[in-house]
Amino acid sequence: MSNANSQLKHGKANYNIAIDGPAGAGKSTIAKKLAKKLGFIYVDTGAMYRAMALYFLKHDIDASDQERIATSCKEVDITIEYKNGEQFVILNGENVNSLIRTEEVGNMASATSVHKAVRLKLVELQQELARKENVVMDGRDIGTYVLPNADLKIYLTASVKERARRRWTELQEKGLVADRDEIERDIEERDNRDMNREFAPLKQAEDAIYLDSSELTIDEVVDKIMEYFNKIINDKEV
Ligand code: DC
């Protein structure tokens, strides 16, 4: 029986897997593992929005200042590099990976990603990567807008309570004190903004598979997606 890896070794054209879902559903952990198993490139589109947000924060640009945001988009240079399978986001020549994981940057990314100028700039970069490589790409609008023809689309979600619990545990492990209710409110606010913005909001694509990870382990989710993907490969073969 063929599987994704053996099929790819036979020189098939490149494959695109899209994983969308709300903050804290486990997208990046799962997408990363999946990409490793398949030998694909993992494209973390959230990191690109975070890098733009970092630029706006550094330059004191207000999230609602549409005009300055549009002008800055023309000045900002964002590129992506890969070393040993890890994605590095380069903002105007600087590797900003270690600067973009804060709540402040995450919230700013959510607030500024509503602007069309920001989205159009990054979508182009994302589509170019997917044209050249086998990718597992995660984000909010990948299946609906960035890669409408992706071979496999997953809508990965989990309950707000479970996502808040995971985030809280993560912070605890880093030795940081956090209020669970506040995290929950933050998540709800982020969901609300990401799902209700005008341009390319977060929603399940019609042809996406809905996966609720609340009661599943990371490996169980990865295995499920592998199964779906192998089925697609096998179906294409016949
Ligand atoms: O996945 P993340 O938390 O790193 O993303 C940060 C924010 O960026 C998210 O709240 C909304 C925005 N984003 C987006 O609008 N579209 C994407 N494809 C990825 C992220």
Side-chain angles (χ1 to χ4, degrees):
M1 197 184 105
S2 85
N3 63 26
N5 290 321
S6 67
Q7 180 75 14
L8 290 168
K9 278 190 197 119
H10 290 103
K12 188 97 176 64
N14 64 339
Y15 287 100
N16 295 166
I17 300 179
I19 303 185
D20 289 300
K27 295 186 302 293
S28 61
T29 311
I30 281 149
K32 222 180 271 175
K33 277 205 153 197
L34 193 66
K36 198 163 182 198
K37 274 195 172 203
L38 289 164
F40 287 13
I41 279 183
Y42 164 51
V43 185
D44 173 358
T45 62
M48 301 177 187
Y49 288 93
R50 284 171 182 265
M52 290 292 285
L54 181 68
Y55 179 90
F56 300 138
L57 284 169
K58 273 188 174 171
H59 291 81
D60 268 332
I61 297 173
D62 196 277
S64 60
D65 191 342
Q66 200 163 337
E67 219 167 284
R68 273 193 82 193
I69 288 196
T71 321
S72 319
C73 281
K74 291 184 195 133
E75 294 159 12
V76 185
D77 180 45
I78 293 209
T79 50
I80 298 293
E81 283 178 12
Y82 287 90
K83 274 189 205 123
N84 302 322
E86 195 185 341
Q87 173 185 293
F88 292 93
V89 187
I90 316 294
L91 170 68
N92 291 337
E94 184 194 358
N95 169 7
V96 292
N97 269 32
S98 63
L99 307 174
I100 57 175
R101 291 293 148 203
T102 64
E103 294 300 302
E104 186 191 18
V105 173
N107 286 328
M108 186 66 169
S110 174
T112 51
S113 63
V114 303
H115 297 291
K116 201 169 175 177
V118 175
R119 305 204 69 80
L120 292 181
K121 183 181 178 78
L122 298 181
V123 165
E124 202 176 304
L125 185 60
Q126 293 154 11
Q127 288 174 333
E128 193 189 317
L129 279 165
R131 255 195 308 273
K132 289 195 286 204
E133 310 276 354
N134 293 313
V135 297
V136 179
M137 189 177 284
D138 78 355
R140 305 292 189 286
D141 58 341
I142 311 305
T144 51
Y145 186 78
V146 181
L147 305 176
N149 298 320
D151 300 278
L152 174 63
K153 298 179 186 177
I154 302 288
Y155 187 83
L156 185 68
T157 188
S159 66
V160 172
K161 275 226 154 1
E162 176 57 20
R163 288 187 279 137
R165 190 197 63 77
R166 289 176 190 170
R167 183 74 190 127
W168 183 80
T169 313
E170 218 175 271
L171 292 170
Q172 287 275 100
E173 280 165 4
K174 286 186 188 157
L176 300 169
V177 186
D179 180 75
R180 216 135 135 177
D181 292 337
E182 198 180 317
I183 296 180
E184 223 176 285
R185 276 196 302 276
D186 234 41
I187 285 183
E188 271 170 339
E189 201 180 303
R190 183 99 79 94
D191 283 1
N192 193 30
R193 209 165 27 205
D194 293 349
M195 289 172 182
N196 294 305
R197 66 175 175 234
E198 204 176 314
F199 190 62
L202 165 65
K203 66 168 186 234
Q204 184 180 348
E206 270 174 28
D207 51 351
I209 297 171
Y210 179 90
L211 248 180
D212 188 326
S213 73
S214 306
E215 311 270 324
L216 298 172
T217 65
I218 289 164
D219 285 333
E220 282 170 339
V221 177
V222 173
D223 288 349
K224 267 184 189 285
I225 301 179
M226 277 300 279
E227 264 173 46
Y228 295 132
F229 188 60
N230 278 327
K231 185 168 181 326
I232 284 170
I233 301 269
N234 288 331
D235 287 352
K236 278 193 177 167
E237 210 180 23
V238 241

